[in-house]
């Protein structure tokens, strides 16, 4: 079988962490989510994934993805013909994991990432890959030209790696072009951003977070009218998700909640409605 290479030190390398996390999770007897496609992709990439074995961040990435999946599923249940846009899609397989038979779907990422992505995913009449930076002002026109609302934007493990000025620009652009849309994103507090050189996963790659957000309520200050609908820590996931997790996960999360570790308390998974 032909193996596909990934250039170390590039943005491509960072997207392998959540991919590997989902592949490992899928192999468990009791899993927080199922993603057989992730395992197939890992097997087809020429990379030493073992450097990520046993990292706590793999579990965190899986739980983050599971929550974002839940939010997208809720959106599509209410709006089956709506539009979902993955910002910084990487090698995410959310399209395969959620019921989106009627939805319009866009996977956006940098050109070198989409080059790798096209190796594993094919565009269809309802699914389109866009090769562009999330900060590129041209990509919204592609979505507008071939889709209609309501819109749901996923920015999973993307915005913290931008400068704050770019985060503001991206949110403002989405709010202007797609008013009233939903956005799922993660935020990292200053303690996490300041200590990332010692992070279990980020210390193994070159990418670094730039934007620190002490409180997701800041988003409503930037964009008046923005509603923060949810802001969860990994140890404070919504009850309906927590109850569906395997017992080992619930026990682990209960322990984290008792410890109130700064690296857990400062990391938020947020759902907002833009003005």
């Amino acid at each position: 079988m032909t193996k596909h290479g990934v250039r170390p030190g590039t943005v491509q390398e960072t997207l392998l962490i959540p991919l590997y996390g989902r592949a490992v999770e899928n192999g468990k007897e009791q899993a927080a989510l199922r993603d057989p496609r992730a395992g197939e992709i890992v097997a087809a990439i020429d990379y030493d994934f073992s450097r990520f074995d046993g990292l706590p961040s793999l579990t965190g990435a899986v739980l983050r993805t599971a929550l974002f999946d839940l939010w997208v599923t809720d959106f599509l249940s209410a709006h089956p013909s709506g539009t979902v846009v993955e910002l910084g899609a990487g090698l995410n397989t959310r399209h395969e994991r959620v019921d989106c038979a009627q939805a319009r779907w866009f996977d956006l990422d940098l050109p070198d990432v989409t080059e790798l992505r096209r190796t594993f995913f094919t565009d269809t009449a309802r699914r389109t890959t866009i090769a562009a930076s999330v900060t590129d002002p041209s990509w919204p026109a592609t979505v507008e030209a071939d889709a209609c609302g309501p819109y749901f934007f996923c920015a999973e493990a993307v915005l913290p790696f931008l400068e704050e000025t770019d985060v503001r620009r991206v949110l403002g652009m989405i709010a202007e072009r797609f008013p009233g849309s939903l956005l799922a994103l993660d935020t990292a507090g200053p303690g996490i951003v300041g200590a990332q050189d010692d992070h279990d996963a980020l210390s193994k790659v070159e990418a670094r977070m730039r934007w620190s957000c002490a409180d997701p309520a800041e988003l409503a200050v930037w964009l008046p009218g923005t509603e923060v609908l949810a802001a969860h820590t990994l140890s404070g996931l919504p009850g309906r998700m927590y109850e569906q997790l395997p017992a080992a996960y619930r026990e682990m999360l209960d322990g984290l909640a008792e410890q109130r570790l700064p690296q857990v308390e400062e990391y938020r998974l947020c759902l907002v409605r833009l003005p």
Side-chain angles (χ1 to χ4, degrees), residues 6 16 22 34 44 55 61 64 74 79 104 121 124 154-155 163 168 211 214-215 220 231 244 257 265 271:
V6 173
L16 300 180
R22 297 195 311 274
R34 293 297 178 191
L55 299 184
R64 177 187 64 213
D74 286 347
H79 311 285
R104 190 70 176 89
F121 302 95
T124 67
C154 282
E163 298 290 349
R168 288 174 177 253
W211 170 47
D215 186 346
Q244 296 300 314
E265 296 299 312
L271 178 66

Side-chain angles (χ1 to χ4, degrees), residues 28-196:
K28 296 179 180 179
E29 182 175 349
Q30 295 187 345
L33 62 75
R34 293 297 178 191
D35 191 348
R37 190 78 174 99
E40 296 170 5
I41 296 173
V42 165
I45 292 178
D46 183 14
Y47 185 85
D48 181 16
F49 286 94
S50 65
R51 66 197 305 227
F52 303 134
D53 281 342
L55 299 184
S57 286
L58 290 186
T59 300
V62 166
L63 293 173
R64 177 187 64 213
T65 295
L67 179 54
F68 278 37
D69 282 0
L70 177 63
W71 284 336
V72 173
T73 298
D74 286 347
F75 170 77
L76 293 177
S77 294
H79 311 285
S81 299
T83 297
V84 178
V85 183
E86 288 275 1
L87 303 174
L91 291 174
N92 205 336
T93 54
R94 199 177 329 273
H95 183 275
E96 283 74 19
R97 292 193 305 272
V98 303
D99 183 8
C100 54
Q102 302 176 55
R104 190 70 176 89
W105 197 283
F106 294 88
D107 292 305
L108 179 146
D109 215 318
L110 296 167
D112 67 324
V113 176
T114 56
E115 179 184 356
L116 176 64
R117 185 174 178 83
R118 290 182 191 279
T119 305
F120 303 105
F121 302 95
T122 302
D123 284 4
T124 67
R126 290 191 171 274
R127 188 181 194 183
T128 300
T129 301
I130 303 175
S133 167
V134 67
T135 62
D136 188 331
S138 68
W139 67 259
T142 302
V143 176
E144 290 174 321
D146 199 25
C148 58
Y151 298 91
F152 191 109
F153 293 85
C154 282
E156 183 178 358
V158 175
L159 298 182
F161 293 91
L162 302 180
E163 298 290 349
E164 181 177 311
T165 53
D166 288 329
V167 178
R168 288 174 177 253
R169 184 180 304 116
V170 170
L171 268 59
M173 181 169 61
I174 297 173
E176 179 182 359
R177 304 291 287 272
F178 309 96
S181 58
L182 292 174
L183 169 67
L185 72 154
D186 52 325
T187 65
I192 295 175
V193 174
Q196 60 188 311

